[in-house]
Structures are given as C-alpha cells and as structure tokens.
Amino acid sequence: GVDSIVRVAVDATLGGGYKYYLNREDTVGMDGFAFRNAPTFMGLSGEAFQTEFNPTRKVNADRDWLFADGERAAHDETAATIDHLFRHPNMPSFIAHLMIQRLVTSNPSPRYVEAASTAFKTGVYGSGGNARGSGRYGCMEAMLAAILLDREAR
C-alpha cells in the first residue's frame, strides 16, 4: 500500500511552523467494497498520548488547557479534516449551489453555479475597477458578488 505524510500548520500562538503525521494506508472491506481509512493522528483507546501541556508556559497560558492530554492531536486531526474538505474539488460548486439556493433561487442554472463556483476558486469576480475579491481561493466576497450581481439574480 501507499502511506502518506500529512503536514499540519501549527497556530502561531503555539509556536508556529508545521507538524508532520504519518497516515498509514489501511483498507477496510465490506460487502465487496474497499475503503481507505481517513487520516488519524490520535492513538487507539488506552494508548498513552504524548502531552505538550506546560503549566508554566506564560506565552498563551489561557489556551494551554485546550491541548492537555493528547487533545492537540484531536485539534490537529480536526484542522486537517476541515482543510481537506475545504480544498476538495467539489467544494466550490457545492457551496455556490447552496448559497444561490438560499439567497436567490431554488433551481439555479448550471451556468449560474459555475460563475459563482469560479469566483470562489479564483477569489475574483469582475474585472478592472469593478473587480471584487481578495484573489485567494475560497473568497466569499467574490462568490457573493457573483451570486448577487449575476443576471439571474435580478
């Protein structure tokens, strides 16, 4: 099988930089289907966790309690999962379709969804002096401008 290494950004208030975790490939079979395991940074139940809790640390002592007794691994695993979902290729069209349904029409055309999805991916809607957005992936300003300023929104 193929193992992978997952890079997780560490919050700047916690020292910054990156942590790397090994995600061993493990395939689970059921009724003729095979599924690869999800990234897991936490040990199995009953395993000891390496704690990074330091009660004498004064840099950000009010947040240290979040990461006592292996909870840092849970935090990192959750952050990696959210980042994975956010970067999934279907996310822009999924979010665009839901936002159009909630803000404009329940049955948007494929062109409308694609325009809003493209704005989400590129971070820009419009051109020249009328351009809106930050130019970064996931820009909600650009996507909302694409949704609300589109001809189907009128």
Side-chain angles (χ1 to χ4, degrees), residues 86-87 117-126 128 130-143 145:
F86 181 68
R87 301 269 177 212
S117 175
T118 299
F120 184 90
K121 286 188 271 191
T122 62
V124 177
Y125 179 74
N130 292 327
R132 290 175 170 79
S134 66
R136 295 189 334 245
Y137 177 88
C139 180
M140 294 297 286
E141 178 186 358
M143 186 181 71

Side-chain angles (χ1 to χ4, degrees), residues 4-12 14-23 39-42 52 63 67 71-84:
S4 59
I5 295 178
V6 179
R7 183 175 84 165
V8 178
V10 176
D11 190 304
L14 302 171
Y18 296 97
K19 282 192 158 195
Y20 296 90
Y21 295 97
L22 176 64
N23 182 31
T40 303
F41 306 139
M42 297 179 63
E52 297 183 37
R63 287 187 50 185
F67 304 112
E71 290 181 17
R72 181 177 302 263
H75 177 269
D76 291 345
E77 187 169 337
T78 302
T81 300
I82 290 170
D83 190 54
H84 170 75

Side-chain angles (χ1 to χ4, degrees), residues 12-15 56-62 64:
T13 61
L14 302 171
T56 62
R57 192 174 105 181
K58 301 295 183 203
V59 175
N60 201 5
D62 60 325
D64 270 350

